[in-house]
mmCIF file of all heavy atoms in Angstrom:
data_model
loop_
_atom_site.group_PDB
_atom_site.id
_atom_site.type_symbol
_atom_site.label_atom_id
_atom_site.label_comp_id
_atom_site.label_asym_id
_atom_site.label_seq_id
_atom_site.Cartn_x
_atom_site.Cartn_y
_atom_site.Cartn_z
ATOM 1 N N GLY A 270 -72.862 -24.325 44.063
ATOM 2 C CA GLY A 270 -71.456 -23.861 44.217
ATOM 3 C C GLY A 270 -71.309 -23.029 45.445
ATOM 4 O O GLY A 270 -72.156 -22.222 45.842
ATOM 5 N N LEU A 271 -70.127 -23.091 46.042
ATOM 6 C CA LEU A 271 -69.861 -22.285 47.232
ATOM 7 C C LEU A 271 -69.668 -20.832 46.844
ATOM 8 O O LEU A 271 -69.225 -20.570 45.633
ATOM 9 C CB LEU A 271 -68.575 -22.797 47.923
ATOM 10 C CG LEU A 271 -68.625 -24.224 48.540
ATOM 11 C CD1 LEU A 271 -67.328 -24.408 49.309
ATOM 12 C CD2 LEU A 271 -69.848 -24.364 49.430
ATOM 13 N N ASP A 272 -70.004 -19.899 47.682
ATOM 14 C CA ASP A 272 -69.954 -18.514 47.381
ATOM 15 C C ASP A 272 -68.488 -18.018 47.510
ATOM 16 O O ASP A 272 -68.029 -17.684 48.580
ATOM 17 C CB ASP A 272 -70.823 -17.715 48.324
ATOM 18 C CG ASP A 272 -70.845 -16.167 48.034
ATOM 19 O OD1 ASP A 272 -70.254 -15.775 47.069
ATOM 20 O OD2 ASP A 272 -71.408 -15.429 48.841
ATOM 21 N N ILE A 273 -67.785 -18.038 46.408
ATOM 22 C CA ILE A 273 -66.406 -17.536 46.335
ATOM 23 C C ILE A 273 -66.279 -16.383 45.403
ATOM 24 O O ILE A 273 -65.158 -16.032 44.995
ATOM 25 C CB ILE A 273 -65.417 -18.672 45.897
ATOM 26 C CG1 ILE A 273 -65.792 -19.213 44.545
ATOM 27 C CG2 ILE A 273 -65.452 -19.763 46.988
ATOM 28 C CD1 ILE A 273 -64.826 -20.210 43.957
ATOM 29 N N GLY A 274 -67.425 -15.754 45.000
ATOM 30 C CA GLY A 274 -67.385 -14.645 44.023
ATOM 31 C C GLY A 274 -67.073 -15.113 42.642
ATOM 32 O O GLY A 274 -66.484 -14.315 41.845
ATOM 33 N N ALA A 275 -67.431 -16.288 42.246
ATOM 34 C CA ALA A 275 -67.071 -16.862 40.939
ATOM 35 C C ALA A 275 -67.782 -16.140 39.784
ATOM 36 O O ALA A 275 -68.997 -15.870 40.031
ATOM 37 C CB ALA A 275 -67.339 -18.379 40.913
ATOM 38 N N ARG A 276 -67.031 -15.867 38.791
ATOM 39 C CA ARG A 276 -67.663 -15.262 37.490
ATOM 40 C C ARG A 276 -67.328 -16.044 36.270
ATOM 41 O O ARG A 276 -68.248 -16.270 35.426
ATOM 42 C CB ARG A 276 -67.158 -13.850 37.344
ATOM 43 C CG ARG A 276 -67.522 -12.853 38.523
ATOM 44 C CD ARG A 276 -69.057 -12.749 38.717
ATOM 45 N NE ARG A 276 -69.690 -12.252 37.469
ATOM 46 C CZ ARG A 276 -71.018 -12.219 37.375
ATOM 47 N NH1 ARG A 276 -71.823 -12.565 38.335
ATOM 48 N NH2 ARG A 276 -71.562 -11.767 36.220
ATOM 49 N N THR A 277 -66.117 -16.532 36.127
ATOM 50 C CA THR A 277 -65.747 -17.148 34.890
ATOM 51 C C THR A 277 -66.144 -18.609 34.938
ATOM 52 O O THR A 277 -66.367 -19.214 36.021
ATOM 53 C CB THR A 277 -64.198 -17.007 34.692
ATOM 54 O OG1 THR A 277 -63.539 -17.864 35.653
ATOM 55 C CG2 THR A 277 -63.692 -15.562 34.734
ATOM 56 N N PRO A 278 -66.159 -19.267 33.819
ATOM 57 C CA PRO A 278 -66.450 -20.707 33.769
ATOM 58 C C PRO A 278 -65.564 -21.557 34.649
ATOM 59 O O PRO A 278 -65.969 -22.484 35.412
ATOM 60 C CB PRO A 278 -66.321 -21.195 32.256
ATOM 61 C CG PRO A 278 -66.571 -19.910 31.560
ATOM 62 C CD PRO A 278 -66.132 -18.797 32.329
ATOM 63 N N ALA A 279 -64.294 -21.174 34.719
ATOM 64 C CA ALA A 279 -63.329 -21.899 35.516
ATOM 65 C C ALA A 279 -63.659 -21.622 37.007
ATOM 66 O O ALA A 279 -63.584 -22.596 37.885
ATOM 67 C CB ALA A 279 -61.879 -21.505 35.204
ATOM 68 N N GLU A 280 -63.910 -20.423 37.302
ATOM 69 C CA GLU A 280 -64.248 -20.071 38.711
ATOM 70 C C GLU A 280 -65.469 -20.777 39.181
ATOM 71 O O GLU A 280 -65.567 -21.324 40.353
ATOM 72 C CB GLU A 280 -64.298 -18.593 38.927
ATOM 73 C CG GLU A 280 -62.967 -17.868 38.779
ATOM 74 C CD GLU A 280 -63.103 -16.326 38.705
ATOM 75 O OE1 GLU A 280 -64.299 -15.875 38.554
ATOM 76 O OE2 GLU A 280 -62.106 -15.670 38.859
ATOM 77 N N ILE A 281 -66.519 -20.762 38.305
ATOM 78 C CA ILE A 281 -67.717 -21.464 38.733
ATOM 79 C C ILE A 281 -67.561 -22.900 38.849
ATOM 80 O O ILE A 281 -68.044 -23.654 39.763
ATOM 81 C CB ILE A 281 -68.850 -21.184 37.645
ATOM 82 C CG1 ILE A 281 -69.094 -19.669 37.623
ATOM 83 C CG2 ILE A 281 -70.101 -21.979 37.894
ATOM 84 C CD1 ILE A 281 -69.994 -19.276 36.393
ATOM 85 N N GLY A 282 -66.653 -23.518 38.002
ATOM 86 C CA GLY A 282 -66.317 -24.975 38.111
ATOM 87 C C GLY A 282 -65.660 -25.235 39.453
ATOM 88 O O GLY A 282 -65.939 -26.226 40.081
ATOM 89 N N VAL A 283 -64.739 -24.405 39.869
ATOM 90 C CA VAL A 283 -64.096 -24.557 41.154
ATOM 91 C C VAL A 283 -65.187 -24.379 42.345
ATOM 92 O O VAL A 283 -65.085 -25.207 43.261
ATOM 93 C CB VAL A 283 -62.999 -23.422 41.325
ATOM 94 C CG1 VAL A 283 -62.561 -23.485 42.753
ATOM 95 C CG2 VAL A 283 -61.825 -23.791 40.404
ATOM 96 N N ALA A 284 -66.052 -23.488 42.153
ATOM 97 C CA ALA A 284 -67.051 -23.278 43.213
ATOM 98 C C ALA A 284 -67.926 -24.530 43.346
ATOM 99 O O ALA A 284 -68.162 -25.018 44.537
ATOM 100 C CB ALA A 284 -67.903 -22.079 42.962
ATOM 101 N N LEU A 285 -68.407 -25.052 42.327
ATOM 102 C CA LEU A 285 -69.273 -26.194 42.441
ATOM 103 C C LEU A 285 -68.436 -27.513 42.830
ATOM 104 O O LEU A 285 -69.054 -28.381 43.574
ATOM 105 C CB LEU A 285 -70.036 -26.467 41.093
ATOM 106 C CG LEU A 285 -69.411 -26.776 39.843
ATOM 107 C CD1 LEU A 285 -69.175 -28.265 39.719
ATOM 108 C CD2 LEU A 285 -70.296 -26.337 38.666
ATOM 109 N N ALA A 286 -67.305 -27.603 42.376
ATOM 110 C CA ALA A 286 -66.416 -28.703 42.798
ATOM 111 C C ALA A 286 -66.167 -28.696 44.356
ATOM 112 O O ALA A 286 -66.193 -29.732 44.999
ATOM 113 C CB ALA A 286 -65.101 -28.709 42.032
ATOM 114 N N ALA A 287 -65.902 -27.477 44.867
ATOM 115 C CA ALA A 287 -65.730 -27.382 46.238
ATOM 116 C C ALA A 287 -66.918 -27.789 47.082
ATOM 117 O O ALA A 287 -66.868 -28.444 48.082
ATOM 118 C CB ALA A 287 -65.401 -25.854 46.635
ATOM 119 N N GLU A 288 -68.144 -27.434 46.565
ATOM 120 C CA GLU A 288 -69.344 -27.821 47.254
ATOM 121 C C GLU A 288 -69.570 -29.346 47.213
ATOM 122 O O GLU A 288 -69.999 -29.994 48.234
ATOM 123 C CB GLU A 288 -70.577 -27.181 46.641
ATOM 124 C CG GLU A 288 -71.825 -27.485 47.364
ATOM 125 C CD GLU A 288 -73.034 -26.562 47.008
ATOM 126 O OE1 GLU A 288 -72.912 -25.391 47.069
ATOM 127 O OE2 GLU A 288 -74.052 -27.103 46.630
#
Side-chain angles (χ1 to χ4, degrees):
L271 296 187
D272 183 6
I273 60 173
R276 297 298 306 173
T277 68
E280 291 171 348
I281 298 170
V283 168
L285 65 86
E288 183 166 307

